[in-house]
Amino acid sequence: MTERATAYRRDGLHGQLVHDLGRQIVTGELPVGAPLPTEEQLGKVYGSGRSAVREATKVLVAKGLVVSKRKVGTIVQPETAWSLLDPDVLAWRYENDPTALHLDHLAEMRVVLEPEAARLAARTKDRTVVRAIQESYHRMEETLDDPDAFIVHDLAFHRAVVEAGGNDLLVHLHSVMEVALAAARQVHTRNVRRNKRTLPAHRAVLDAIVAKDADQASALMREVVTGAAHDIRRDRRTR
Amino acid sequence: MTERATAYRRDGLHGQLVHDLGRQIVTGELPVGAPLPTEEQLGKVYGSGRSAVREATKVLVAKGLVVSKRKVGTIVQPETAWSLLDPDVLAWRYENDPTALHLDHLAEMRVVLEPEAARLAARTKDRTVVRAIQESYHRMEETLDDPDAFIVHDLAFHRAVVEAGGNDLLVHLHSVMEVALAAARQVHTRNVRRNKRTLPAHRAVLDAIVAKDADQASALMREVVTGAAHDIRRDRRTR
DNA sequence: TGTAGACCTTTCGTCAGACAAAAGCATCAA
DNA sequence: TTGATGCTTTTGTCTGACGAAAGGTCTACA
């Protein structure tokens, strides 16, 4: 089993600082163009020394959230400069009141990724990765009445498909999207009826992959993820 | 015009350290599982103090390349932990002898992204972004005999399409891929004949977007990028 | 009055030295 | 053999210091 994209560890003083400042920036509490407090001030506020503050801001610089200049200070960068695909940035965005637009973008990304991933999976010659997909599917069947478990296996199914494609970049991108998905808890609605409806669609994808019918696998996967996107939108309206 | 994904600035002492160490890790000069020299040693080697070294390693930690533990040292992480979609990591990988497999993955990513981006573009209601695509296309026409200029406008065309989709995440992902593409110089072959061949295909994509025919736009864009992927493979064989 | 240049101040960039804390390792005892 | 104890190494953090860049101010001169 491949690992998930990993977030910056929250332990240690500077880890805390990174998350605190990062969240404030991404949520707009610290507005674009504004300077952070000086290193000395931050040190005082957080009861830490300058070194910890500096190590934290260096990480934020690496994520494109700020730039530092002598005498000017460290300035919050415009959103276009942010590393949106960084697991932390994504988590900060999606765990703090993501807008409807942001959720749509997330769903769109799945529509971008997964059909093509299914196509690649159908072309693979490695039978073991296909078996991983099958196993996840069977677990979905078995846990049809246990929504929480179902979600886990549903995610595993999609991940297995992407991994079967054998493309590093794609696998990584997918794992990053999972982080965002997990942060935006609302996306996973526990709904047995809906699960019963989507199960056959997953089955169809699996069969197409096993049959090595790439076009079909892609088209069917497209159905699955666009269906999920519509569900998200519907949930939003009816709430 | 939106900005590109931005790489970590190479200036300053720690900037230099980040790039030096990062490159060594991604190229495998520093093998997975091995410890970096101690902070003290690195400081001596680079003629710097410990603070600069520490700020650099913090950035590498943020990119998932290493982890630090007391007494153990700073250890190179397995590739599955790397932030492959980080502009720096990508550049380090693709500017230092990218393998054939890596280049294929890059091309595949374009096939993943761009057709769906074209579909979204065809659905947009904002006419100005469509005009941006048109302008890029016309520049391509005009510079058909100047391969270097053609590449620039070709890239601008594809970028304009992605931006027309209006999805932050997608735009960012595309800009990151551009970084990799730029790092792997070999990908842009200057070939007037080939450009003459692909121009009508681009035109067809443009027309479909203008006509708001989403399915058609997607299918045609798929042609364009799979064609490019094949060209890359062919170039490799004939060299 | 307007402008160029010298100066002053703020803030990040870096160094040096110190101690704390974790974690491996060796040593010693039961 | 096993388990506890203490030693040592390496990162984590603090403090204090100085350098360098960049904005602001003031003065001298045209």
Side-chain angles (χ1 to χ4, degrees):
Chain A
M1 167 91 59
T2 321
E3 292 130 56
R4 273 214 197 75
T6 154
Y8 196 82
R9 286 161 71 200
R10 201 180 286 258
D11 59 44
L13 245 177
H14 74 264
Q16 199 63 44
L17 275 166
V18 168
H19 279 275
D20 245 55
L21 295 172
R23 193 193 48 76
Q24 288 185 51
I25 293 169
V26 173
T27 61
E29 264 171 72
L30 284 167
V32 168
L36 266 51
T38 67
E39 293 175 350
E40 210 182 356
Q41 288 173 325
L42 281 174
K44 252 189 180 160
V45 171
Y46 286 90
S48 69
R50 249 186 94 203
S51 45
V53 173
R54 282 186 59 71
E55 287 170 18
T57 56
K58 282 289 159 297
V59 172
L60 297 178
V61 170
K63 294 180 188 301
L65 298 182
V66 298
V67 287
S68 298
K69 268 220 279 276
R70 282 161 162 139
K71 162 75 184 179
V72 172
T74 67
I75 308 288
V76 177
Q77 289 285 96
E79 293 200 24
T80 52
W82 299 356
S83 295
L84 281 188
L85 296 174
D86 177 280
D88 290 310
V89 175
L90 222 36
W92 291 325
R93 164 174 285 190
Y94 282 93
E95 71 194 7
N96 300 285
D97 82 279
T99 65
L101 191 62
H102 287 157
L103 289 172
D104 284 344
H105 287 173
L106 195 56
E108 268 175 17
M109 282 298 280
R110 295 190 69 193
V111 178
V112 170
L113 295 191
E114 305 217 21
E116 204 62 27
R119 182 191 303 276
L120 294 175
R123 291 208 187 114
T124 186
K125 280 163 190 154
D126 181 351
R127 218 152 341 131
T128 67
V129 295
V130 175
R131 202 166 318 138
I133 305 174
Q134 277 172 322
E135 270 173 35
S136 293
Y137 172 75
H138 287 132
R139 297 255 165 72
M140 286 172 71
E141 268 186 336
E142 286 163 17
T143 58
L144 199 47
D145 297 314
D146 178 353
D148 287 310
F150 187 87
I151 287 177
V152 172
H153 298 129
D154 189 6
L155 287 173
F157 179 91
H158 288 273
R159 177 197 292 217
V161 170
V162 174
E163 285 179 358
N167 184 326
D168 274 8
L169 298 171
L170 203 48
V171 170
H172 189 264
L173 177 57
H174 186 261
S175 82
V176 169
M177 301 312 295
E178 274 187 63
V179 171
L181 228 38
R185 307 268 332 291
Q186 350 171 9
V187 175
H188 300 306
T189 56
R190 287 163 205 71
N191 184 325
V192 175
R193 185 134 29 101
R194 191 175 291 164
N195 293 348
K196 281 193 175 138
R197 187 152 45 77
T198 62
L199 190 65
H202 283 79
R203 173 72 196 228
V205 171
L206 170 59
D207 289 341
I209 290 173
V210 171
K212 297 195 183 305
D213 186 341
D215 286 334
Q216 186 75 357
S218 170
L220 290 169
M221 182 59 107
R222 189 150 211 291
E223 296 285 311
V224 171
V225 288
T226 54
H230 287 146
D231 285 347
I232 290 174
R233 227 171 253 162
R234 189 170 317 129
D235 284 352
R236 203 155 58 218
R237 276 210 308 277
T238 63
R239 197 173 304 170
Chain B
M1 166 90 61
T2 323
E3 292 129 53
R4 273 215 197 74
T6 153
Y8 197 83
R9 288 164 67 201
R10 202 180 286 259
D11 59 42
L13 245 177
H14 75 265
Q16 198 63 44
L17 276 167
V18 167
H19 278 275
D20 246 53
L21 294 173
R23 193 193 50 74
Q24 288 184 51
I25 292 169
V26 172
T27 60
E29 263 171 73
L30 284 167
V32 167
L36 266 53
T38 68
E39 293 174 350
E40 209 181 358
Q41 288 173 326
L42 281 174
K44 250 185 182 165
V45 171
Y46 286 91
S48 69
R50 245 186 97 204
S51 45
V53 173
R54 281 186 60 72
E55 286 169 19
T57 58
K58 280 289 159 299
V59 172
L60 297 178
V61 170
K63 294 181 189 301
L65 299 182
V66 296
V67 287
S68 297
K69 267 219 278 278
R70 282 164 162 137
K71 163 77 184 179
V72 172
T74 306
I75 308 289
V76 176
Q77 289 286 95
E79 292 200 25
T80 52
W82 298 357
S83 296
L84 280 188
L85 295 173
D86 178 280
D88 290 311
V89 175
L90 224 35
W92 290 325
R93 165 175 284 190
Y94 282 94
E95 73 195 6
N96 300 285
D97 81 282
T99 65
L101 191 62
H102 287 157
L103 289 172
D104 283 344
H105 287 173
L106 195 57
E108 271 176 15
M109 282 298 280
R110 294 191 68 193
V111 178
V112 171
L113 296 190
E114 305 217 20
E116 204 63 24
R119 182 191 303 276
L120 294 175
R123 290 208 188 114
T124 186
K125 279 161 189 154
D126 181 349
R127 212 143 355 124
T128 66
V129 294
V130 176
R131 201 165 319 137
I133 305 174
Q134 278 172 320
E135 269 172 36
S136 294
Y137 173 76
H138 286 132
R139 296 255 167 73
M140 286 172 72
E141 269 186 335
E142 287 164 17
T143 57
L144 200 47
D145 298 313
D146 178 352
D148 287 311
F150 186 86
I151 287 177
V152 172
H153 298 129
D154 188 6
L155 286 172
F157 179 90
H158 289 273
R159 176 196 292 218
V161 170
V162 174
E163 285 180 356
N167 184 327
D168 274 7
L169 298 171
L170 204 48
V171 170
H172 189 265
L173 177 56
H174 186 260
S175 83
V176 169
M177 302 312 296
E178 273 186 64
V179 171
L181 229 38
R185 307 271 331 292
Q186 351 170 10
V187 175
H188 299 304
T189 55
R190 288 162 204 71
N191 183 326
V192 175
R193 185 133 31 100
R194 190 174 293 164
N195 292 349
K196 280 191 175 140
R197 187 151 46 79
T198 63
L199 191 64
H202 282 79
R203 173 71 197 228
V205 171
L206 171 60
D207 288 342
I209 290 173
V210 170
K212 296 196 184 305
D213 186 340
D215 287 333
Q216 187 73 358
S218 171
L220 289 169
M221 182 59 107
R222 188 150 210 292
E223 297 282 312
V224 171
V225 287
T226 53
H230 288 145
D231 285 348
I232 290 174
R233 226 171 255 160
R234 188 170 318 128
D235 283 352
R236 203 156 57 220
R237 276 211 309 278
T238 62
R239 198 172 301 167

